[in-house]
Amino acid sequence: MLSKKLAQELNSQLNFELYSAYIYYAMAAALEAMNAPGAANWMKVQAQEELTHADKFFSFINERDGRVILEAVEKPQKEWKAIIDVFTTAYKHEQLVTGRINCLVELAMEEKDYAANQFLQWFVAEQIEEESSVKVVIDQLKLADKAPGAMFMIDRELGQRVFVPPTGASST
Ligand code: FEO
């Protein structure tokens, strides 16, 4: 069974994953308004991934006899000046998530909760991918800044991203 403290913190992360989905949907909406449908698609896929992350926390808390408590989801930012600003915010957000996951791992280790630690290791690996995939887009956008017409190509490429459900059971 989860300790009260760990259950609280896992619930808080469940909420943060839902907030992450919400912020990426807000980014998708802003990108649509900027006439960047491919980038909007990329963000919508990102939002879908976040929902699967939230679901993993939901399942794990239940499997460990904890109680899932859903709290209000914070209102996300709605306006950005440029496409690159949207992705820069996404990158900073992912760095924040990585920090939160690391804190959860520290807590699980402190409590010698090996199952929670193992569960969280999936997220440790996932965060490397999460940060890297946004950084790749930022680098492309920086290059496009110096090459007229390149933005059209990048947007078309971002439009190719499709949602792939994570492998493994819901909480593993
Ligand atoms: Fe669930 Fe993008 O971290």
Side-chain angles (χ1 to χ4, degrees), residues 18-35:
L18 291 172
Y19 171 62
S20 301
Y22 215 37
I23 199 171
Y24 290 134
Y25 275 126
M27 289 178 181
L31 289 162
E32 287 282 3
M34 290 176 191
N35 292 319

Side-chain angles (χ1 to χ4, degrees), residues 20 22 27 50 59 65 70 78 82 123 125 134 142:
S20 301
Y22 215 37
M27 289 178 181
E50 298 304 343
S59 298
D65 239 1
L70 296 178
K78 64 176 179 179
F123 286 91
V134 189
K142 279 183 184 161

